[in-house]
Amino acid sequence: MFMGTYNNSIDAKNRMIVPAKHRDQLGDGCVITIGIEKCLTIYSQESWNKQAEKMESIPESDLESRKYVRLFFSHAEECTFDKQGRIIIPEHLKDYAGITKELVTMGVKTKIEVWAKEVWDAPDNRGKIEPDKWADALLKYGF
């Protein structure tokens, strides 16, 4: 399970260091793709395979689901780590997430989210939740 939040950055060659704690759980490589919100999502190969398997059950007749599956897979890239524990973020993913330099990298259950710091810190970031809405969301799911 991935957890914790880290501040890091991307260099001029589009490389980011994956926090060692997360890298240890990812194994030899990972898959990076777009997130539902304006972030990137990193999966271990095992988690990626589970996601892909689940998406096999989505009917092709559902237009909105088909659009999401298309985006999810067409933006996906397999990554390997260099000796310094870095991966390369492809330009199209960097553009999608609005990444320029500073990052916020966080573990979220079975995946890692990578946010442009300015996007994460923005007042209108939908990835954050107000405390009263948080309580309502937890109640909705029996917590």
Side-chain angles (χ1 to χ4, degrees), residues 29-44:
C30 57
V31 176
I32 187 168
T33 191
I34 61 172
I36 294 173
E37 289 140 330
K38 195 174 177 182
C39 68
L40 303 179
T41 308
I42 299 173
Y43 294 91
S44 68

Side-chain angles (χ1 to χ4, degrees), residues 12 14 33-34 41 46 53 66 109 121 134:
N14 292 347
T33 191
I34 61 172
T41 308
E46 180 183 349
E53 195 173 303
R66 196 168 60 241
K109 298 183 350 180
D121 289 343
W134 187 8

Side-chain angles (χ1 to χ4, degrees), residues 3 6 16 26-27 37 50 60 74 79 85 91 93 97 117 131 133-134 138-139:
M3 60 181 107
Y6 304 87
M16 72 165 266
L26 290 169
E37 289 140 330
K50 287 179 183 176
E60 296 250 343
S74 67
C79 301
E91 197 69 38
L93 293 178
K117 184 166 178 28
K133 291 181 182 177
W134 187 8
L138 289 174
L139 259 170

Side-chain angles (χ1 to χ4, degrees), residues 11-25:
D11 68 15
K13 295 181 180 178
N14 292 347
R15 298 174 300 193
M16 72 165 266
I17 294 177
V18 176
K21 183 178 175 184
H22 292 161
R23 204 169 50 244
D24 291 344
Q25 294 178 66

